[in-house]
Amino acid sequence: MPDGDKYHTKLSWRYQESYRELCERKSDRSEIVWTLKKALLLDIKKSYGDQPVKHAKRLGEMLQGAIENAGNNSSMDWPTLSKEIDRQVRQAELKYYEKGLLLRSCKGIIHEFRYNQRVDTSNLPQAVVERLFREIYKSNFEERIPLTSDHYAGLDRITVMECVEAINPEISAEISKWAKKATVDEDVKKLRCSPRKKVKEIGLEENWL
């Protein structure tokens, strides 16, 4: 992408090419996904780094201990646990926006346990790191896509969001792989995208949704 090209005013430069490819739909779906994974991984490494991962892991360990010690859902003091999360995140040496994403990650998992949408407590440190990466993706790409009424290449809003939804499973699968390694290493430096697949050009009339 030439310097200065901007296809969506609410997206950072890292995601401009991904958004353009998504709207044009001239490339094979796997190529669009690969471009977006590259942008997301660069975002995680350059904009966030290791510290949010380390805090996410620690919070996951705390959550796992608290939930397992409670024994069952009815005996868990969820409001107190939520306040403890607030306290720990507030005291963390992180940027304001990083704290916000970390809170969303932890509170989302607490909500799932509280309302019986999640029962597995086997690896909550990894689960919180994975949720953190997902929140970065949502905050910096997915949730910003609707913030314009004039999409690139004249694509309508509904179609754009359908395209975003269609690639979510592949993005989520890659995020899960990154989270597993990042939780063990407690850093993001060695994270890599999965190998690039062979691609082909497709016609505008073809639909990869």
Side-chain angles (χ1 to χ4, degrees):
M1 182 178 69
D3 292 343
D5 283 2
K6 199 160 190 178
Y7 306 106
H8 192 304
T9 59
K10 301 301 182 181
L11 291 174
S12 78
W13 65 268
R14 290 192 177 100
Y15 296 101
Q16 295 293 330
E17 188 71 6
S18 302
Y19 170 74
R20 181 187 64 79
E21 289 186 358
L22 194 76
C23 290
E24 287 184 341
R25 296 188 295 169
K26 293 180 180 179
S27 300
D28 181 84
R29 171 173 165 156
S30 64
E31 178 73 1
I32 294 173
V33 171
W34 192 77
T35 302
L36 181 53
K37 288 191 296 188
K38 276 201 314 177
L40 175 59
L41 185 56
L42 183 63
D43 200 10
I44 289 171
K45 288 183 174 183
K46 299 299 184 181
S47 300
Y48 298 88
D50 302 337
Q51 289 307 309
V53 168
K54 292 178 180 179
H55 285 287
K57 181 177 180 178
R58 301 293 175 265
L59 287 169
E61 292 169 346
M62 188 270 287
L63 281 176
Q64 187 163 328
I67 292 172
E68 289 179 348
N69 289 337
N72 61 72
N73 202 333
S74 60
S75 63
M76 185 72 217
D77 186 349
W78 296 109
T80 298
L81 180 59
S82 183
K83 289 179 181 178
E84 177 61 17
I85 293 292
D86 289 337
R87 186 186 70 80
Q88 292 202 25
V89 172
R90 186 169 58 249
Q91 293 179 351
E93 293 184 1
L94 295 172
K95 298 181 178 68
Y96 178 79
Y97 62 86
E98 294 172 338
K99 292 182 178 182
L101 294 175
L102 198 53
L103 274 178
R104 282 173 58 174
S105 303
C106 292
K107 294 298 182 72
I109 290 176
I110 288 176
H111 178 87
E112 290 171 3
F113 274 111
R114 188 172 186 178
Y115 296 100
N116 298 309
Q117 297 168 353
R118 177 191 287 260
V119 294
D120 183 14
T121 61
S122 61
N123 201 339
L124 286 184
Q126 182 177 315
V128 178
V129 173
E130 181 174 336
R131 187 64 64 90
L132 173 65
F133 289 166
R134 291 181 191 276
E135 291 296 341
I136 291 173
Y137 172 70
K138 287 170 58 180
S139 177
N140 294 349
F141 184 76
E142 188 177 66
E143 293 176 349
R144 291 177 180 264
I145 296 298
L147 301 181
T148 180
S149 58
D150 186 19
H151 285 288
Y152 182 70
L155 209 61
D156 64 275
R157 180 183 180 278
I158 293 176
T159 303
V160 173
M161 296 313 298
E162 286 176 347
C163 292
V164 172
E165 184 67 24
I167 63 177
N168 263 338
E170 291 151 287
I171 299 298
S172 294
E174 189 80 347
I175 285 174
S176 295
K177 294 177 184 177
W178 294 341
K180 183 177 182 179
K181 182 168 180 56
T183 304
V184 173
D185 295 345
E186 293 195 7
D187 70 33
V188 298
K189 299 179 185 66
K190 295 181 181 179
L191 298 182
R192 298 290 184 270
C193 286
S194 297
R196 191 176 194 173
K197 296 179 182 179
K198 289 185 177 181
V199 300
K200 64 178 181 178
E201 290 293 313
I202 64 174
L204 286 173
E205 71 279 0
E206 295 184 62
N207 185 3
W208 50 263
L209 290 178

